């Protein structure tokens, strides 16, 4: 479904962000309320055409780069990848992999 991506890892490393690639995250149980309406790293949270395109690719067996999430007290928040996660939901996926960044502040 989602795969590691050296570009993402290089970006996060260059930003000096601590991160971990995690498997088996429960969708949507592990996510903060409203996870599917925010994409903190993008100006427009959800683009329906992108969700459909990712879902089609996933259905044909193509792996997409893992989303980037932030762990908070209320659950995982999406920094980048809401389209991919929404497409996974359309494909009835209940477990996903993602990069989870560590931070001192939810802001």
């Amino acid at each position: 479904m989602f795969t590691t991506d050296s570009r993402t890892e290089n970006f996060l490393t260059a930003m000096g962000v601590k991160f971990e690639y995690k498997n088996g995250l429960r969708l949507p149980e592990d996510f903060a309320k409203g996870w599917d309406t925010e994409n903190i790293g993008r100006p427009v949270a959800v683009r329906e055409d992108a969700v459909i395109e990712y879902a089609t690719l996933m259905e044909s067996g193509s792996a997409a780069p893992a989303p980037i999430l932030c762990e908070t007290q209320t659950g995982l928040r999406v920094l980048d990848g809401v389209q991919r996660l929404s497409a996974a939901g359309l494909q009835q996926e209940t477990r996903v992999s993602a990069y989870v960044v560590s931070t001192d502040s939810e802001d």
Side-chain angles (χ1 to χ4, degrees):
M1 163 89 23
F2 297 128
T3 186
T4 58
D5 181 55
S6 61
R7 295 169 298 173
T8 301
E9 292 177 10
N10 291 339
F11 171 75
L12 293 172
T13 300
M15 295 286 294
V17 176
K18 294 179 185 176
F19 66 91
E20 181 180 356
Y21 183 76
K22 292 187 176 184
N23 293 304
L25 301 172
R26 297 174 305 155
L27 182 67
E29 292 86 357
D30 290 339
F31 289 74
K33 183 178 181 179
W35 70 268
D36 56 346
T37 62
E38 74 177 350
N39 206 25
I40 297 168
R42 303 281 180 182
V44 176
V46 180
R47 290 186 6 251
E48 291 301 322
D49 59 326
V51 172
I52 300 302
E53 183 178 342
Y54 276 119
T56 302
L57 290 170
M58 289 173 185
E59 188 173 20
S60 69
S62 294
I68 304 171
L69 310 174
C70 179
E71 198 162 19
T72 70
Q73 290 184 359
T74 60
L76 296 166
R77 293 184 66 199
V78 182
L79 298 176
D80 185 51
V82 75
Q83 277 86 222
R84 287 167 274 167
L85 289 163
S86 295
L90 286 177
Q91 295 298 310
Q92 306 298 313
E93 296 293 332
T94 58
R95 300 279 179 163
V96 296
S97 301
Y99 290 101
V100 179
V101 301
S102 301
T103 181
D104 295 338
S105 167
E106 287 189 28
D107 295 331

